[in-house]
Amino acid sequence: MRSSLIAGNWKMNGSLQSVIDLVEGIKAGDPGNAELAVCPPAVFLMKVGGMLAETGISLGAQNVCDREAGAFTGEISAAMLKECGCSYAIVGHSERRALYLESDQLVAARFSMALSAGIIPILCVGETLDEREQGVTETVVTRQIDAVLDLCGIEGIARAVIAYEPVWAIGTGKVATPGQAQAVHAFIRAKLEQLDSGVAQQVQILYGGSMNPSNAAELLSQPDIDGGLIGGAALKADDFLAIAQSA
Ligand code: PGA
């Protein structure tokens, strides 16, 4: 039985004070049975990590460098994230792929670095509206996952979380229907099943894209949806906790 993970991706939002308030709000609430993780902007990781000590809430980064150390201005290594207390790192978020031109191979390299530092990568995959309309959703998701399989194998996926995030649903208020989301989640699990059924059954596959307290319960009740990667609604402690409670 897979447990539910509700992860908040705070993106580049907030200030030191608003981040402190948000963490206090989440700590004060009741997440039900779901595991929680929060991914604040990197400059606040140490602060948030300290505030989360002994709460059971995990800390995650929004990205991780594909190299170990050295002259990579502006990047943050997996080992540094580990020292900040990160258990998770998002890799391949569609904003990174689209706005910062991260290729499937770069995302795979980032994934690999996270694993080697003992950080659980949250691998984001998903199609654009154009790709959905062209009927190539499965091709796109396959290509994105195959890049990681080529570098890290199914053993790598076994130590990761996958997040299916249709690009057209991110930050748009347009949410995939539970049926649309479930179909892609089931496709991903079936694809992994061909390589290792134990891994396929155990790996958590989160949904992301305009999940909020009013649509979460139905999405999270789908058999292959094991949690959520939440953007906008994760910036309000009450909404984030309400989503967790419906898991
Ligand atoms: P959203 O973002 O919930 O604001 O759509 C999700 C994400 O980008 O992970």
Side-chain angles (χ1 to χ4, degrees), residues 74-94:
E75 292 289 315
I76 303 172
S77 75
M80 292 171 186
L81 295 175
K82 187 76 185 171
E83 276 198 292
C84 290
C86 287
S87 323
Y88 292 97
I90 297 171
V91 298
H93 189 279
S94 66

Side-chain angles (χ1 to χ4, degrees), residues 19-227:
V19 160
I20 290 172
D21 294 345
L22 182 52
V23 177
E24 292 296 358
I26 294 170
K27 278 169 63 172
D30 171 16
N33 293 324
E35 293 168 46
L36 294 187
V38 296
C39 305
V43 287
F44 301 137
L45 282 171
M46 287 288 270
K47 177 72 190 169
V48 173
M51 292 179 73
L52 292 180
E54 288 167 34
T55 61
I57 302 171
S58 300
L59 185 67
Q62 296 177 16
N63 206 356
V64 54
C65 187
D66 59 313
R67 314 295 180 94
E68 218 167 278
F72 303 104
T73 302
E75 292 289 315
I76 303 172
S77 75
M80 292 171 186
L81 295 175
K82 187 76 185 171
E83 276 198 292
C84 290
C86 287
S87 323
Y88 292 97
I90 297 171
V91 298
H93 189 279
S94 66
E95 287 149 18
R96 300 294 322 172
R97 293 180 189 265
L99 302 174
Y100 300 97
L101 310 181
E102 293 192 8
S103 66
D104 295 328
Q105 286 65 35
L106 175 57
V107 170
R110 293 186 188 280
F111 181 106
S112 169
M113 285 310 298
L115 282 184
S116 57
I119 291 176
I120 301 169
I122 301 177
L123 171 68
C124 298
V125 299
E127 81 289 2
T128 62
L129 185 56
D130 235 30
E131 289 164 339
R132 174 159 284 262
E133 284 171 350
Q134 285 168 35
V136 295
T137 297
E138 294 182 355
T139 315
V140 170
V141 167
T142 297
R143 191 197 70 221
Q144 291 170 332
I145 294 178
D146 279 350
V148 169
L149 284 169
D150 287 349
L151 190 64
C152 303
I154 189 73
E155 317 77 57
I157 297 284
R159 292 155 57 209
V161 171
I162 296 174
Y164 168 59
E165 299 207 304
V167 179
W168 47 273
I170 295 179
T172 57
K174 255 191 232 170
V175 63
T177 64
Q180 283 174 322
Q182 165 58 25
V184 180
H185 283 236
F187 170 78
I188 293 170
R189 207 177 299 283
K191 173 182 167 52
L192 300 177
E193 188 86 36
Q194 291 168 358
L195 298 171
D196 187 316
S197 78
V199 172
Q201 288 314 312
Q202 153 255 303
V203 71
Q204 288 169 312
I205 308 179
L206 315 184
Y207 169 80
S210 299
M211 195 186 266
N212 62 39
S214 42
N215 61 32
E218 219 190 333
L219 285 159
L220 294 169
S221 67
Q222 300 300 308
D224 288 297
I225 300 186
D226 309 314

